[in-house]
Amino acid sequence: MSNQIARLFTAHPHSVDESYFEHLLFAGTFAGKLFLAACAALIHAILPFTFEKTASRIINELHHRMHNRSK
C-alpha cells in the first residue's frame, strides 16, 4: 500500500528525470511566474499603460524553459 502511495508522488517526476523535490521546485517556480504574469496582465487590463509586454515576456520565457527542459 505505501509503495503505491509513494509511486503516486514519484512516477511523473521520474518520467521527466527529476526527483520529487526537483519537480516540486520546478513546478512551484513555474506556478509562481505564471501568477506574476497573471497579475501583470490584470493590472494591464485596468491600467493599459502599465506592464505592456510583461505577461507575454514571462509566458515566452516559460515556454522556452519548458520546451528546452530535457535538452
Side-chain angles (χ1 to χ4, degrees):
M1 177 73 154
S2 65
N3 271 348
Q4 291 172 335
I5 293 172
R7 215 173 304 130
L8 288 173
F9 287 90
T10 59
H12 172 67
H14 180 70
S15 75
V16 292
D17 291 327
E18 293 177 342
S19 71
Y20 172 80
F21 291 105
E22 288 171 327
H23 190 270
L24 176 68
L25 181 63
F26 181 86
T29 301
F30 201 90
K33 289 182 179 186
L34 282 173
F35 179 74
L36 290 176
C39 289
L42 179 61
I43 294 169
H44 174 72
I46 298 165
L47 305 168
F49 52 88
T50 62
F51 303 111
E52 292 180 15
K53 296 181 181 179
T54 303
S56 59
R57 180 184 47 80
I58 292 170
I59 298 299
N60 284 331
E61 288 173 5
L62 290 174
H63 172 74
H64 179 74
R65 187 170 177 201
M66 182 66 76
H67 181 70
N68 295 311
R69 187 173 181 195
S70 61
K71 294 179 183 178

